[in-house]
Amino acid sequence: MENQVLTPHVYWAQRHRELYLRVELSDVQNPAISITENVLHFKAQGHGAKGDNVYEFHLEFLDLVKPEPVYKLTQRQVNITVQKKVSQWWERVTKQEKRPLFLAPDFDRWLDESDAEMELRAKEEERLNKLRLESEGSPETLTNLRKGYLFMYNLVQFLGFSWIFVNLTVRFCILGKESFYDTFHTVADMMYFCQMLAVVETINAAIGVTTSPVLPSLIQLLGRNFILFIIFGTMEEMQNKAVVFFVFYLWSAIEIFRYSFYMLTCIDMDWKVLTWLRYTLWIPLYPLGCLAEAISVIQSIPIFNETGRFSFTLPYPVKIKVRFSFFLQIYLIMIFLGLYINFRHLYKQRRRRYGQKKKKIH
């Protein structure tokens, strides 16, 4: 008795230049896979949902594809890659609007159009960087130098912020609330060092040493240094306030996990607990940090008004005195705008790392 011809489960995903098909068949040998007149033909003996049988299907693609499919057999499935003739995003994979019952989205490889564009740009940047490195010297040597440099930078920042975090924690455990009021005089020098060194991080992103976007890094650098050097550094009245403790403590809590994660990434280590903390702790800590920064700005406004520091008078004939507190009120709005930009960036990173909620796609 001949084996019954059945249709296997097929899962699909796409990029701008390629289509990916995953056929759920195990123990397949020498499958017949071809493309004629823009239709993919598949036939193979294998073990699928209906046991050991001959399985086959046909797919007419939405747009033109190259007639040379590439496939790879694994113990559990057949992976097929089809090249599009024109690099573009398709609204669906098949010419017919109604999706065949055996076809479903491959959420393991699925990206929406914007994420696919980011991936495409990243691959293009990687290709250009590879060409640049090959023209400048041995890629392996330059990569090792880059990793070594980034490892040392992240190590120094990790140690610096760890010292601040441990110092503040120990002093709070011993002194309680009394430790709040001399936080600045205790750890300010180390915080100055770490925040000045953070300039290197923005430069690294700007010149391509790291793939991090420049804007979120620049926003964080300028925002924190404004609080540290202007609000706290120039006003002795602010240095004895409890809010300094919370600002420094939240900054250091965020950074000890961020820099330790980057440090291990440089040596190709992936500690799952640390990775989860790096992509999760920012959710409560970043808003709390911005709230603490906003409180410090609000508390400084009457002090700047009273002292007149950084205030100025416009020249004749206007002769209007412009108080520095006016700029601080504008800066309060910018704090939360910066939070939105950084939050959006970090959310996209987390979504790419841990996947996104599945949605129905034809």
Side-chain angles (χ1 to χ4, degrees), residues 28-152:
V28 174
Q29 293 183 354
N30 301 320
I33 303 173
S34 64
I35 295 177
T36 56
E37 297 182 354
N38 219 48
V39 178
L40 174 72
H41 305 279
F42 176 95
K43 186 174 183 180
Q45 175 85 28
H47 191 85
K50 299 294 184 179
D52 193 18
N53 270 297
V54 174
Y55 292 84
E56 68 176 287
F57 67 89
H58 309 280
L59 277 182
E60 184 175 6
F61 294 112
L62 175 66
D63 211 334
L64 295 177
V65 298
K66 296 181 181 179
E68 302 90 16
V70 177
Y71 69 88
K72 181 179 179 181
L73 300 177
T74 69
Q75 189 174 359
R76 296 182 177 181
Q77 61 198 30
V78 182
N79 295 314
I80 305 172
T81 302
V82 179
Q83 299 290 329
K84 299 177 181 178
K85 278 199 173 182
V86 178
S87 178
Q88 62 182 0
W89 195 257
W90 292 3
E91 62 180 14
R92 61 182 184 274
V93 69
T94 58
K95 189 170 184 179
Q96 65 184 70
E97 291 190 9
K98 186 176 180 182
R99 176 169 55 84
L101 294 177
F102 66 87
L103 185 66
D106 186 352
F107 287 108
D108 292 336
R109 303 195 70 169
W110 193 267
L111 291 178
D112 59 30
E113 185 174 1
S114 60
D115 287 338
E117 287 176 352
M118 291 177 64
E119 183 185 72
L120 190 63
R121 285 197 297 268
K123 287 182 178 180
E124 184 64 19
E125 288 177 5
E126 184 179 355
R127 185 184 69 82
L128 293 174
N129 286 336
K130 185 176 180 180
L131 291 174
R132 179 173 56 81
L133 290 174
E134 287 176 351
S135 65
E136 293 174 356
S138 170
E140 185 176 352
T141 301
L142 291 174
T143 300
N144 289 338
L145 286 173
R146 172 181 164 277
K147 285 185 175 182
Y149 156 69
L150 291 175
F151 178 85
M152 291 305 300

Side-chain angles (χ1 to χ4, degrees), residues 150-164:
L150 291 175
F151 178 85
M152 291 305 300
Y153 168 77
N154 291 311
L155 174 62
V156 170
Q157 288 286 58
F158 168 73
L159 293 175
F161 280 108
S162 295
W163 184 89
I164 294 171

